[in-house]
Each structure stands twice: as structure tokens, then as C-alpha cells.
Amino acid sequence: MAMLMKAKEAANQVYDAVRTKVKKLNQKGIQPHMATIWVGGDPASAYYAQAKQKIAEKLGVSFYLHSFQADVTEEEILQLITRLNHDPSVHGIMLELPLPKHLSTSTIEKAISPLKDVDGITPSNKLATVTGDAGLYPATPQACIKLLKHYGYTLEGRNVTLVGRGQTVGLPLFHMLQRENATVTVCHSRTPDIASHIGHAEIAFVAVGRPHMVTQDFVHSDLIVIDAGINEVAGGKIVGDVSAEVSSHVAAVSPVPGGVGTLTTAILFENLLKAIDLQSEELHGS
Ligand code: NAP
């Protein structure tokens, strides 16, 4: 049976560090504040926004959920973002996705100040993820790498197969893995025989959005698997992109739920504090 790479311990370490830093900021008169924008229509994203609110309370972080009806106009959301960008008491802005189809996700993402962009979705933060320059990197790819390292695995020189090249997870993760000096093969919907690419890998990251896409036929007994997938299946159950039976056929695998998603939430708060540092550097010209 594989080692199950649960994220709770790693997430708690992040939360402990966040709590300590929040207290220090409070002593300097700074109260960290995360603003979350949610547009009606997607119950799963409402659930995640509320979960973050509860965690924020425990961390001493102020949290405000800006909720809109599903028929909101793009202009109304852009006006809110402009206001939040200019409000010095707001340090982080988080956009809950997906948005209803009549809204341009790309236009709305681009409106967020890069210095308050806690999920690394603005163009300059996407570029920073590629170059390694200072910036706010997307939380889920960071969580994938942090979880692997938490269990003592290294990336330098390793053969890694990444399944998925999506904007949220796969693409930024590819760049981060390159910067970790891994040798990366990227598979996607046009890749024939993904099993052969995973077969040659020491580590596989899967971020596709298809329940149980990776089955036991794709894996081998020395493989380490990080599953970033979050899929809701019949009965409201959350499953990953990797089939549960895989755990009997690999060396280690991250669970869903309780894996990458758990650590992603913690990293959003870590990014909030990084955002405060970046805003302070901008203000003081360093
Ligand atoms: P996305 O933008 O839809 O990208 C999906 C990727 O998977 C694309 O590159 C697509 O290939 C590839 N793909 C689709 N079907 C495939 C198939 N049959 N075989 C091989 N590749 C296939 O997805 P995303 O937003 O990056 O999200 C990926 C997963 O991560 C989802 O399950 C999502 O829920 C999850 N997620 C988790 C967290 C977290 O906190 N853990 C956060 C965000 C997202 P093409 O490029 O060729 O279309």
C-alpha cells in the first residue's frame, strides 16, 4: 500500500507561521484583510469561499465576502475591484471561479492589482511564475510542490510527468517544476498513450479535471503521485483525477480530499502576507 501524502500537517505549519506573522503585523498597526469576490450560480465556489472565511477568523485575518447575484454586470465587478485596489486597508483580493458565462474571466482577472493578487492570476504574476521574479505565484501549483517536499521528496534532476496544461494548475506548475530543475514531460488531451509517459516518470502530477482518469494501468510501484484534481461526482462526493485503486500500486500518492486542496487554502493566506510585504516595499520604494 502506498504512503498517503495527507496535507494536514503541512497546512498546519503554514497556518502557525501565518498566525505568528499576523500578530507581528498587528503590533505594527496592520490588520491583514482578504477580500473575496463571489458571483452566484456555483454552489461549490460558495462553499470554498465560506470555508476560507472560517479559517481567516481562526488566523486573525479580516475577511469580507463580496457576493453578487448571478446576473451582475461586468462593470459592477470591475468597479468593486477598482475600489478594492485603491483601498489601503485591503491587502488581498481573491476571485472565486468559475464565473457565469456572460462575464469575461480574463478581463476581470486582469483588473486586480498584481500586488493584491493572492492567487497569482494577473499577467505580471503569471510572468513572475515563469521567470522566478518577485511576485505572487498561484496557490495550487505551489501546494503541489510543497506537499511533495513536505514528505522529503526532491525534484532536481527527477523525471517528472505532468498531466494537464491548464491555466490554473498545469501551466504554472510546469514553469515552477522547470525552476526546481526537474526534467518535465507535459501530457494533455492530444497526447497519445499517457500511460507510457507516466511509466517513465519518477514523479507524476495530475491536474486534468476528470474523475479517476489515471488508473492502475498507468502507474508503477516506485511512482510518487500528486493529484491536484477536484471533481464532484454523483452524491456530491469529491474525488481526484487519480483512481483510488492506484494507491495499491504506487510508492506514494496524495489523497483527495485532504491533499493538494487542503494545502492550497493555507498557501492563499501565506500569499496574503507576502502581498503585504510587496505592498510595503512598493510604498517605501525598496
Ligand atoms: P483546465 O484548465 O480545464 O485544464 C485541464 C487540462 O487537462 C488541459 O490541459 C487539458 O488538455 C487536459 N486534459 C483534459 N482531458 C484530458 C485527457 N482525457 N487526457 C489528458 N489531458 C486531458 O483545468 P485546471 O483549471 O488547470 O484544473 C485542473 C484540475 O485541478 C481540476 O480538477 C480542478 O478542479 C483542479 N483544481 C484544484 C485546485 C486545488 O486547490 N486543489 C485548484 C484549482 C483547480 P488541453 O490543454 O489539451 O485541453
Side-chain angles (χ1 to χ4, degrees):
M1 198 68 177
M3 176 174 63
L4 212 51
M5 292 188 279
K6 294 182 183 173
K8 197 171 175 202
E9 187 183 73
N12 282 339
Q13 286 174 2
V14 173
Y15 288 134
D16 286 347
V18 168
R19 237 180 255 109
T20 305
K21 196 163 175 199
V22 167
K23 281 187 190 139
K24 284 190 182 150
L25 287 165
N26 288 162
Q27 282 160 9
K28 290 189 208 165
I30 300 168
Q31 174 53 45
H33 180 132
M34 173 102 90
T36 292
I37 302 171
W38 178 77
V39 182
D42 184 58
S45 69
Y47 170 80
Y48 289 122
Q50 282 154 10
K52 276 176 221 140
Q53 184 155 20
K54 284 190 191 136
I55 292 168
E57 279 162 18
K58 289 187 190 155
L59 295 172
V61 167
S62 300
F63 186 100
Y64 195 90
L65 184 59
H66 298 267
S67 305
F68 289 100
Q69 302 285 338
D71 61 355
V72 64
T73 64
E74 204 162 286
E75 195 47 42
E76 282 173 275
I77 298 178
L78 293 174
Q79 275 171 10
L80 171 68
I81 291 176
T82 304
R83 187 163 64 73
L84 297 174
N85 284 346
H86 289 102
D87 183 343
S89 73
V90 174
H91 304 100
I93 303 172
M94 167 90 206
L95 181 66
E96 292 294 341
L97 299 174
L99 297 175
K101 293 220 173 342
H102 71 282
L103 301 169
S104 162
T105 302
S106 152
T107 304
I108 293 170
E109 285 177 344
K110 283 179 188 151
I112 296 172
S113 161
L115 295 172
K116 298 189 178 185
D117 169 25
V118 288
D119 203 11
I121 57 176
T122 57
S124 63
N125 282 324
K126 282 183 179 171
L127 183 62
T129 305
V130 177
T131 60
D133 285 344
L136 297 166
Y137 304 154
T140 303
Q142 283 195 71
C144 289
I145 292 176
K146 201 176 187 90
L147 185 57
L148 187 84
K149 289 184 175 175
H150 181 79
Y151 281 90
Y153 296 112
T154 55
L155 281 161
E156 181 154 330
R158 295 295 198 105
N159 282 326
V160 171
T161 292
L162 166 62
V163 190
R165 57 179 174 181
Q167 292 285 328
T168 320
V169 190
L171 190 63
L173 181 55
F174 166 69
H175 293 295
M176 288 183 191
L177 291 170
Q178 297 273 24
R179 290 199 286 101
E180 293 282 344
N181 295 317
T183 303
V184 190
T185 300
V186 183
C187 302
H188 44 75
S189 65
R190 315 289 167 86
T191 307
D193 197 7
I194 291 175
S196 76
H197 295 287
I198 295 181
H200 289 108
E202 297 170 271
I203 303 168
F205 292 88
V206 188
V208 168
R210 287 181 181 257
H212 312 309
M213 189 218 134
V214 171
T215 63
Q216 67 180 76
D217 304 332
F218 288 56
V219 301
H220 59 82
S221 59
D222 293 328
L223 187 71
I224 299 147
V225 186
I226 299 285
D227 184 357
I230 297 182
N231 308 289
E232 193 172 332
V233 292
K237 197 177 165 213
I238 300 293
V239 300
D241 292 343
V242 177
S243 164
E245 88 226 358
V246 161
S247 65
S248 312
H249 302 273
V250 294
V253 61
S254 68
V256 178
V260 172
T262 300
L263 196 49
T264 295
T265 309
I267 287 174
L268 284 169
F269 288 98
E270 190 175 63
N271 269 357
L272 175 71
L273 300 186
K274 201 171 166 195
I276 293 175
D277 288 343
L278 291 173
Q279 287 156 40
S280 160
E281 284 167 21
E282 175 86 355
L283 197 66
H284 300 105
S286 58

